[in-house]
Amino acid sequence: SAVISQKPSRDICQRGTSLTIQCQVDSQVTMMFWYRQQPGQSLTLIATANQGSEATYESGFVIDKFPISRPNLTFSTLTVSNMSPEDSSIYLCSVGGTAYTDTQYFGPGTRLTVL
Amino acid sequence: KNEVEQSPQNLTAQEGEFITINCSYSVGISALHWLQQHPGGGIVSLFMLSSGKKKHGRLIATINIQEKHSSLHITASHPRDSAVYICAVQLYNTDKLIFGTGTRLQVFP
């Protein structure tokens, strides 16, 4: 199993600023995933973070807006840059897939409100 | 058309009722996940299925690969089952998940 923690759990930010969200896993994992859940919507994959290489971004998401770091096998950060109210969402990190054959594990999420 | 469709979107039930949530998908998958999201936002994985049926306590999940359909059943529902239930499919040969829009379940005492 995997236990995932995220910081901060929530934040309220001003338009134009940036916020870095941290994700810590209690075991080493190859791939970590960052998701966004906009109000009333389901989850959308932002990017896959691989240790030792650049993150792979999904269509509609770019590195300049959502830079990701993956310095080691237990930690990753997602930065939401130059924020606007449209970025107000829950951001979740996740591990799973082929490394964990029975389940997916999700962090508790970071609830971001941009004013 | 979404690649993963869930029904119903909203569901209310009286305590003790049998609940069924359905999920249909249109892509090739290696597995299907049922997730539970409580109002605080935290997501818990309930099941990962690649075939057949799984049971955990009062929860049962089934999948029919040929028909590209899965169901989540809750027997003897309880108010603490109130949550959003999300179906997510794992694309074939990748670790990526595509999520349904969720089913909001409210169980009243």
Side-chain angles (χ1 to χ4, degrees):
Chain A
S1 67
V3 176
I4 304 174
S5 60
Q6 281 186 238
K7 289 182 185 179
S9 58
R10 58 177 63 228
D11 207 341
I12 300 173
C13 301
Q14 295 296 322
R15 181 195 297 261
T17 62
S18 298
L19 176 72
T20 295
I21 301 167
Q22 299 178 6
C23 178
Q24 180 77 51
V25 188
D26 68 344
S27 55
Q28 294 184 339
V29 295
T30 305
M31 287 196 288
M32 295 173 73
F33 305 91
W34 285 99
Y35 292 94
R36 179 176 74 180
Q37 186 178 30
Q38 293 177 299
Q41 306 291 316
S42 194
L43 284 78
T44 301
L45 180 63
I46 298 171
T48 303
N50 301 313
Q51 197 271 334
S53 64
E54 295 259 337
T56 303
Y57 289 83
E58 296 300 303
S59 175
F61 298 97
V62 295
I63 188 171
D64 289 345
K65 176 67 176 176
F66 297 102
I68 287 172
S69 79
R70 184 78 202 276
N72 58 53
L73 291 173
T74 63
F75 186 78
S76 178
T77 67
L78 170 77
T79 299
V80 186
S81 303
N82 188 24
M83 288 184 285
S84 67
E86 292 71 36
D87 294 319
S88 298
S89 297
I90 298 174
Y91 292 85
L92 299 105
C93 66
S94 169
V95 303
T98 55
Y100 295 92
T101 56
D102 60 344
T103 194
Q104 290 268 336
Y105 298 93
F106 290 85
T110 296
R111 187 179 295 271
L112 171 63
T113 302
V114 184
L115 302 177
Chain B
K1 187 181 188 301
N2 293 333
E3 292 162 307
V4 182
E5 298 269 2
Q6 280 185 243
S7 63
Q9 284 189 308
N10 294 284
L11 185 55
T12 58
Q14 288 295 126
E15 183 172 357
E17 284 186 7
F18 182 83
I19 305 276
T20 295
I21 300 170
N22 295 300
C23 176
S24 297
Y25 54 93
S26 57
V27 293
I29 71 169
S30 59
L32 182 144
H33 300 259
W34 280 103
L35 310 167
Q36 181 191 55
Q37 185 173 31
H38 281 281
I43 295 176
V44 174
S45 176
L46 299 174
F47 295 104
M48 174 177 166
L49 294 161
S50 54
S51 66
K53 175 179 173 179
K54 286 189 176 180
K55 184 176 190 292
H56 185 258
R58 295 181 294 106
L59 302 179
I60 303 167
T62 64
I63 187 168
N64 184 319
I65 297 292
Q66 286 72 33
E67 294 187 4
K68 296 190 172 181
H69 182 269
S70 176
S71 293
L72 175 69
H73 306 285
I74 305 174
T75 61
S77 59
H78 190 276
R80 65 174 174 266
D81 297 326
S82 299
V84 175
Y85 292 83
I86 302 170
C87 168
V89 299
Q90 189 165 333
L91 297 182
Y92 184 72
N93 235 16
T94 78
D95 292 323
K96 294 182 183 179
L97 295 181
I98 300 177
F99 294 80
T101 53
T103 295
R104 184 174 300 275
L105 170 65
Q106 288 185 293
V107 182
F108 293 99

